[in-house]
């Protein structure tokens, strides 16, 4: 039975119940089919493997609601966040530590998309307009810096590992009671530096904390994101290179702005967001995780 359905013009998600009380997540890519390679081979109880049928990817998960929809828009959260983020940390540790054959040799798809956009813009109206804005307000030198950061996180350097590619709260599915969770894994499996996966997720959490702190009253609005970051870091463990970690977190924020322009449309806030990214680039990413720092002491 269909229990939920949502999406954008590029991706449609449908969630069904199963006879054994679990849930099937069908993610249909409306433009092209993703490449599924080593998903089923990653031995982690917290990484739900993907199966591919045409341009639809299916996962089995313990719940029907992603962690992203539980915590955003920000509101008082009574859901147990620590077990879910612990599961994500363990999942990424297992994926990045995978020692079997790596069928995939390419960089994370998000970095490929972002690099292409940074270099040449896009044909679609929203991303093309965003590229003009960023070229004007940020300058080509900063865009080149972001492209260099994309290259540094991609395959080819010492320390390459298997990557999830685009870990996010939207792909984190906890059980209704919060006792465990899985990270949907397979559509973006890739190779590169392990800091990419950790930084990508922390960048999302930092963005949520930053937006909540800027637009909502009270310090408590940022607390859930700090709690999640601390739990994730405890489970995942430290990243070898803090600079790459922060660069990946900054790239995550740039990629989200690009996705917003392409999937949602234009808004007046995009200009202010581009200015925020300018400051993050000028600081070499050192301040990108500041919204998470007070409670973690680990970033």
């Amino acid at each position: 039975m269909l229990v939920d359905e949502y999406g954008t013009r590029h991706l449609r998600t449908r969630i069904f119940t199963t006879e054994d009380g679990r849930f099937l997540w069908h993610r249909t890519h409306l433009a092209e089919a993703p490449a599924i390679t080593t998903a089923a081979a990653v031995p982690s109880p917290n990484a739900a493997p993907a199966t591919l049928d045409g341009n639809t990817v299916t996962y089995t998960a313990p719940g029907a609601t992603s962690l992203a929809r539980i915590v955003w828009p920000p509101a008082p959260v009574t859901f147990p966040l620590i077990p879910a983020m612990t599961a994500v940390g363990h999942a990424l540790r297992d994926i990045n530590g995978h020692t079997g054959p790596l069928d995939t040799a390419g960089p994370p798809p998000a970095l490929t998309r972002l690099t292409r956009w940074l270099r040449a813009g896009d044909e679609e109206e929203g991303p093309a307009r965003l590229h003009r804005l960023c070229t004007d307000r940020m300058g080509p030198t900063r865009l080149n810096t972001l492209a260099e950061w994309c290259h540094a996180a991609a395959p080819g350097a010492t320390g390459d590992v298997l990557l999830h590619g685009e870990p996010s709260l939207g792909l984190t599915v906890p059980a209704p009671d919060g006792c465990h969770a899985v990270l949907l894994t397979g559509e973006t499996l890739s190779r590169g530096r392990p800091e990419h996966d950790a930084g990508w997720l922390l960048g999302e959490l930092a963005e949520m904390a930053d937006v909540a702190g800027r637009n909502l009253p009270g310090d408590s609005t940022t607390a859930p994101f700090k709690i999640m970051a601390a739990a994730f870091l405890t489970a995942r463990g430290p990243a070898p290179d803090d600079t790459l970690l922060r660069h990946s977190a900054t790239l995550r924020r740039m990629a989200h702005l690009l996705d917003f322009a392409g999937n949602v449309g234009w808004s007046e806030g995009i200009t202010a967001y581009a200015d925020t990214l300018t400051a993050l680039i000028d600081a070499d990413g050192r301040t990108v995780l500041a919204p998470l720092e007070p409670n973690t002491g680990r970033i």
Side-chain angles (χ1 to χ4, degrees), residues 3-4 6 15-17 23 25 61-66 69 173-176:
V3 295
D4 201 1
Y6 54 89
I15 305 167
F16 298 85
T17 55
F23 299 86
W25 286 60
T65 304
S66 73
R69 302 187 82 181
V173 185

Side-chain angles (χ1 to χ4, degrees), residues 40 46 51 54 59 65 75 80 131 146 153 194 203 265 290:
N46 298 301
T51 58
Y59 303 91
T65 304
H131 192 268
L146 291 175

Side-chain angles (χ1 to χ4, degrees), residues 225-242:
F225 311 109
K226 297 172 183 177
I227 291 170
M228 287 190 286
F232 169 74
L233 285 168
T234 298
R236 172 62 183 83
D241 190 316
D242 286 343

Side-chain angles (χ1 to χ4, degrees), residues 33-80:
I36 303 298
T37 53
T38 56
V42 178
S44 175
N46 298 301
T51 58
L52 179 65
D53 182 9
N55 63 344
T56 296
V57 183
T58 299
Y59 303 91
T60 300
T65 304
S66 73
L67 191 57
R69 302 187 82 181
I70 292 173
V71 301
W72 196 264
V77 178
T78 58
F79 191 84

Side-chain angles (χ1 to χ4, degrees), residues 75-92:
V77 178
T78 58
F79 191 84
L81 300 173
I82 292 176
M85 293 308 298
T86 297
V88 175
H90 288 163
L92 291 184

Side-chain angles (χ1 to χ4, degrees), residues 49-273:
T51 58
L52 179 65
D53 182 9
N55 63 344
T56 296
V57 183
T58 299
Y59 303 91
T60 300
T65 304
S66 73
L67 191 57
R69 302 187 82 181
I70 292 173
V71 301
W72 196 264
V77 178
T78 58
F79 191 84
L81 300 173
I82 292 176
M85 293 308 298
T86 297
V88 175
H90 288 163
L92 291 184
R93 184 188 63 192
D94 294 341
I95 294 168
N96 296 161
H98 179 63
T99 57
L102 300 183
D103 297 336
T104 177
L111 294 186
T112 300
R113 293 194 304 269
L114 185 56
T115 300
R116 183 172 58 246
W117 176 83
L118 287 165
R119 297 298 192 196
D122 198 285
E123 294 181 359
E124 292 188 6
E125 179 180 356
R129 182 178 179 183
L130 177 64
H131 192 268
R132 293 192 297 269
L133 173 75
C134 289
T135 300
D136 179 56
R137 299 189 72 86
M138 298 168 67
T141 299
R142 292 188 181 93
L143 297 188
N144 286 334
T145 295
L146 291 175
E148 291 170 0
W149 292 357
C150 288
H151 178 74
T158 302
D160 283 359
V161 300
L162 181 68
L163 296 175
H164 179 283
E166 296 183 36
S168 69
L169 300 190
L171 294 176
T172 301
V173 185
D177 62 3
C179 64
H180 70 288
V182 297
L183 179 64
L184 308 186
T185 302
E187 294 159 76
T188 55
L189 278 171
S190 44
R191 290 187 66 181
R193 292 286 307 217
E195 293 87 356
H196 168 79
D197 273 353
W200 201 259
L201 186 67
L202 289 170
E204 179 183 28
L205 291 172
E207 178 184 44
M208 289 178 167
D210 186 25
V211 172
R214 289 172 184 265
N215 296 289
L216 298 171
D219 295 337
S220 61
T221 57
T222 64
F225 311 109
K226 297 172 183 177
I227 291 170
M228 287 190 286
F232 169 74
L233 285 168
T234 298
R236 172 62 183 83
D241 190 316
D242 286 343
T243 298
L244 288 179
L245 183 80
R246 291 180 170 88
H247 286 177
S248 288
T250 307
L251 292 173
R252 171 66 179 86
R253 296 199 62 167
M254 184 72 252
H256 187 210
L257 182 60
L258 176 58
D259 288 342
F260 183 91
N263 291 321
V264 180
W266 200 261
S267 76
E268 294 182 358
I270 286 180
T271 299
Y273 199 101

